[in-house]
């Protein structure tokens, strides 16, 4: 097993334990831990509690007026969102985590598609933090009103001297999909291309041929199977 796959499997076990033990939390646990656990447990059950954008995102601003802000993640909440240290939720605009709770095998471990996405983002957050001193930059494209605040962003980190998009790396590794709008079009066309390459390479989740991805979720390839 490759070191990267081994690391992801280790994180997978830790994430599963974290999410499935959420109900055992006591009042002694801090607020952040309870918040992260609540979202992770819901996601492990196939429920993404983070809403879609209330308004169209200003995608063009990345090319026209890049404004990077440093963030420090507290923990992954889903396969494509995390809690920032300022108490807001950061949702990656270009990636969508898997929501299927159908059992699948990943790197020799029996798990679910949603848990692979959750563990994948957890691993990438750690990698991004490690290379940037516990923080990394994001460009924000919009936010939802209400509480907690949800901010939609594209985040970046440097590895081997190359600046990489967190969304694109998740998609390339096959632990998330290219985020799509309601018409099924990818928010970032280049990420759809990365998804196609990951699918052809049978990377990550794509090694399992029993699921399809139409609009950011996993569905059974054979709809007649219950």
């Amino acid at each position: 097993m490759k070191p990267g796959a081994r690391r992801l499997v280790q994180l997978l076990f830790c994430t599963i334990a974290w999410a499935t033990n959420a109900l055992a939390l006591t009042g002694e646990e801090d607020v952040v831990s309870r918040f992260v656990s609540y979202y992770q447990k819901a996601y492990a059950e196939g429920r993404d509690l983070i809403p879609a954008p209330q308004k169209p995102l200003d995608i063009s601003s990345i090319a026209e007026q890049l404004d990077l802000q440093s963030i420090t993640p507290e923990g992954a909440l889903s396969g494509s969102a995390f809690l920032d240290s300022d108490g807001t939720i950061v949702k990656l605009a270009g990636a969508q985590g898997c929501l299927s709770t159908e059992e699948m095998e990943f790197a020799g471990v029996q798990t679910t598609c949603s848990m692979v996405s959750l563990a994948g983002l957890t691993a990438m957050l750690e990698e991004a933090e490690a290379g940037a001193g516990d923080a990394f930059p994001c460009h924000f494209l919009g936010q939802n009103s209400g509480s907690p605040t949800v901010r939609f962003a594209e985040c970046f980190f440097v590895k081997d001297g190359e600046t990489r998009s967190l969304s694109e790396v998740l998609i390339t590794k096959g632990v998330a999909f290219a985020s799509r709008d309601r018409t099924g079009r990818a928010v970032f066309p280049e990420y759809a291309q990365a998804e196609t390459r990951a699918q052809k390479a049978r990377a990550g989740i794509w090694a399992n041929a029993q699921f399809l991805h139409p609009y950011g979720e996993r569905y059974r390839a054979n709809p007649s199977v219950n």
Side-chain angles (χ1 to χ4, degrees):
M1 185 183 296
K2 295 181 180 179
R6 185 181 300 110
R7 175 59 177 157
L8 187 57
V9 170
Q10 292 172 343
L11 281 165
L12 185 62
F13 279 119
C14 292
T15 305
I16 290 172
W18 182 270
T20 55
N21 290 332
L23 290 178
L25 290 171
T26 68
E28 298 178 358
E29 297 286 341
D30 60 44
V31 174
V32 172
S33 294
R34 293 201 303 272
F35 185 90
V36 172
S37 294
Y38 177 74
Y39 275 79
Q40 285 191 348
K41 181 177 184 295
Y43 194 78
E45 296 171 347
R47 297 181 294 118
D48 192 344
L49 301 181
I50 300 166
Q54 295 169 340
K55 298 179 180 179
L57 300 178
D58 184 12
I59 302 300
S60 63
S61 64
I62 290 182
E64 297 174 355
Q65 192 174 2
L66 187 64
D67 180 19
L68 296 177
Q69 301 177 35
S70 181
I71 59 91
T72 303
E74 295 286 351
L77 303 177
S78 71
S80 52
F82 57 89
L83 180 66
D84 187 12
S85 59
D86 67 0
T88 64
I89 292 174
V90 178
K91 171 71 171 69
L92 298 176
Q96 169 63 54
C98 183
L99 287 174
S100 172
T101 57
E102 294 287 343
E103 288 191 3
M104 62 176 288
E105 183 176 311
F106 180 83
V109 176
Q110 199 67 23
T111 181
T112 67
C113 192
S114 61
M115 291 309 303
V116 171
S117 279
L118 186 57
L121 180 57
T122 299
M124 288 311 305
L125 289 178
E126 290 188 3
E127 185 173 332
E129 285 183 278
D134 295 332
F136 51 84
C138 292
H139 174 83
F140 291 94
L141 305 164
Q143 73 178 51
N144 286 353
S145 58
S147 181
T149 299
V150 179
R151 305 178 74 190
F152 300 88
E154 277 299 281
C155 299
F156 306 90
F157 66 101
V158 177
K159 183 177 182 180
D160 301 327
E162 179 185 1
T163 300
R164 306 193 66 183
S165 157
L166 183 57
S167 292
E168 188 170 16
V169 171
L170 291 170
I171 295 165
T172 300
K173 287 180 176 290
V175 295
F177 311 113
S179 182
R180 288 168 165 77
D181 60 24
R182 293 181 179 179
T183 68
R185 292 181 297 183
V187 174
F188 293 96
E190 60 269 32
Y191 293 174
Q193 297 171 11
E195 181 184 287
T196 298
R197 291 192 296 270
Q199 185 177 15
K200 290 181 178 179
R202 300 181 67 82
I205 296 166
W206 294 112
N208 187 312
Q210 295 182 352
F211 296 97
L212 296 175
H213 165 50
Y215 304 112
E217 299 179 12
R218 294 291 268 200
Y219 292 84
R220 281 182 178 273
N222 184 353
S224 65
V225 179
N226 295 319

